């Protein structure tokens, strides 16, 4: 059901908005009327198209709606994420855009709520599977547009790697997962099991976040050459959540500051790792 929303004059002078095509700007405004009173709705381009562009007859309107959503996500104006396998869209900084006086009951969790819930392991996460157990494909658990639950270094133990949504596993996904496992083992930790969650999170980072394989590998190398981050980047879930922070620190450009000069690779890295980190 469409809802009455308000729009501030500052919308039209926003530099972030000005960089978007007109279609994306209108889609962003339309999303305010589409989402629930907590700023969240189903991330189904067909439903969004029907709600926002009901009279538009252009043959490419559905594809344009999908592209608008990706542009808004890349601009960090919305978050595209999943909760229990259901794709959702949330308007970022919702309370700054809208003041809802009598909000209806929420149907969906916001990204930060899903991320908070995901910090707590489910009963099955606390149990180690038997030696010959092959787990079925996992349903994606809650994640943040930018993050998800940190499980330490994955399901440790001698269990076989679990299945993922990709069958056979994708080479690019396997390359990133294996590199992280290699780095952890090289640092003295017990080699973690590459689980379905590892693969699914890596796939989302590559496909949805548009992080290249080389940049993902560089982020791992950079983090594990840093005394602080090497204790935190232990899973693809944490890597995806903290990727932008790692990228900014690696380039020497914290948010809101001027460029701090050329990139520099951390110490105690191999020549190959240094060369890769300089591309990160």
């Amino acid at each position: 059901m469409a809802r009455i929303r308000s729009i501030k004059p500052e919308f039209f002078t926003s530099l972030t908005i000005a960089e978007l095509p007109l279609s994306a700007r209108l889609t962003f405004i339309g999303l305010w009327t589409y989402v629930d009173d907590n700023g969240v709705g189903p991330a189904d381009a067909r439903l969004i198209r029907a709600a926002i562009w009901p009279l538009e007859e252009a043959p490419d309107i559905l594809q344009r709606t999908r592209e608008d959503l990706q542009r808004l996500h890349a601009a960090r104006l919305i978050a595209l994420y999943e909760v229990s396998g259901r794709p959702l869209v949330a308007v970022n900084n919702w309370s700054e855009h809208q003041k809802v006086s009598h909000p209806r009951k929420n149907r969906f969790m916001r990204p930060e709520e899903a991320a908070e819930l995901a910090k707590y392991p489910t009963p099955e996460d606390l149990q180690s599977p038997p030696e010959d157990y092959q787990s079925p494909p996992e349903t994606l658990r809650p994640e943040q547009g930018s993050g998800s639950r940190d499980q330490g270094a994955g399901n440790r133990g001698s269990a076989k790697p679990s299945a993922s949504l990709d069958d056979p596993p994708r080479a690019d996904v396997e390359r990133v997962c294996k590199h992280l496992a290699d780095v952890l083992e090289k640092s003295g930790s017990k080699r973690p099991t590459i689980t379905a969650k590892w693969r699914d999170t890596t796939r989302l980072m590559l496909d949805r976040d548009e992080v290249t394989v080389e940049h993902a590998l560089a982020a791992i190398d950079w983090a594990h050459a840093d005394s602080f981050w090497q204790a935190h980047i232990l899973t693809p879930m944490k890597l995806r959540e903290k990727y932008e922070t790692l990228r900014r620190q690696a380039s020497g450009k914290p948010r809101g500051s001027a460029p701090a000069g050329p990139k520099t690779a951390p110490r105690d890295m191999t020549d190959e790792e240094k060369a890769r980190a300089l591309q990160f």
Side-chain angles (χ1 to χ4, degrees):
M1 176 185 296
R3 296 160 176 82
I4 298 175
R5 304 299 189 196
S6 60
I7 185 168
K8 297 179 179 179
E10 291 83 359
F11 176 90
F12 301 100
T13 57
S14 166
L15 296 179
T16 301
I17 296 298
E19 292 177 354
L20 296 171
L22 288 175
S23 174
R25 300 182 206 181
L26 289 173
T27 296
F28 186 39
I29 296 173
L31 282 173
W32 301 351
T33 69
Y34 169 78
V35 297
D36 290 352
D37 288 340
N38 68 336
V40 182
D44 188 321
R46 297 167 300 177
L47 296 177
I48 295 172
R49 180 256 186 227
I52 298 176
W53 303 100
L55 301 181
E56 178 61 62
E57 297 180 355
D60 65 339
I61 185 60
L62 182 59
Q63 179 59 28
R64 197 194 319 160
T65 300
R66 293 193 180 101
E67 293 173 355
D68 287 345
L69 292 173
Q70 291 301 322
R71 288 190 180 99
L72 294 169
H73 178 68
R76 302 187 182 280
L77 294 171
I78 65 171
L80 297 173
Y81 61 110
E82 294 181 5
V83 173
S84 299
R86 180 166 191 173
L88 298 174
V89 56
V91 177
N92 290 335
N93 302 317
W94 175 247
S95 60
E96 297 179 10
H97 292 291
Q98 302 296 322
K99 302 297 182 184
V100 182
S101 57
H102 300 289
R104 299 179 178 88
K105 182 178 180 180
N106 299 335
R107 295 185 298 163
F108 312 109
M109 287 188 289
R110 288 193 57 81
E112 53 271 21
E113 296 171 335
E116 184 65 24
L117 181 64
K119 292 179 180 178
Y120 303 96
T122 59
E124 58 268 24
D125 292 327
L126 302 177
Q127 301 177 8
S128 298
E131 179 70 23
D132 59 348
Y133 177 77
Q134 285 285 355
S135 65
E138 293 184 355
T139 300
L140 286 179
R141 291 190 173 88
E143 55 173 301
Q144 186 174 5
S146 68
S148 59
R149 180 171 56 195
D150 180 15
Q151 289 288 329
N155 291 331
R156 301 181 182 271
S158 59
K160 297 180 181 179
S162 54
S164 72
L165 298 180
D166 299 309
D167 189 17
R170 281 171 36 178
D172 55 349
V173 171
E174 292 301 295
R175 185 181 175 192
V176 175
C177 291
K178 183 177 182 298
H179 185 69
L180 178 55
D182 290 344
V183 168
L184 290 170
E185 185 176 33
K186 181 180 177 181
S187 68
S189 301
K190 184 176 181 180
R191 186 178 182 85
T193 299
I194 297 177
T195 65
K197 179 182 282 187
W198 273 46
R199 293 187 173 102
D200 292 337
T201 301
T202 302
R203 175 176 54 81
L204 289 169
M205 181 170 63
L206 298 179
D207 294 351
R208 179 173 293 176
D209 301 346
E210 299 181 345
V211 175
T212 67
V213 171
E214 289 304 319
H215 284 182
L217 299 180
I220 294 170
D221 291 339
W222 191 92
H224 281 268
D226 182 89
S227 59
F228 173 80
W229 285 113
Q230 65 182 350
H232 292 78
I233 306 303
L234 305 176
T235 66
M237 291 74 80
K238 184 59 69 174
L239 174 65
R240 185 181 183 215
E241 178 185 347
K242 298 298 183 182
Y243 177 81
E244 275 302 309
T245 301
L246 294 171
R247 186 188 64 78
R248 290 196 304 273
Q249 291 190 12
S251 63
K253 293 186 294 186
R255 182 186 296 272
S257 68
K263 300 179 180 181
T264 57
R267 295 174 295 173
D268 302 325
M269 299 176 69
T270 65
D271 291 340
E272 179 183 358
E273 291 170 339
K274 288 180 181 178
R276 189 155 50 202
L278 289 174
Q279 302 173 12
F280 172 43

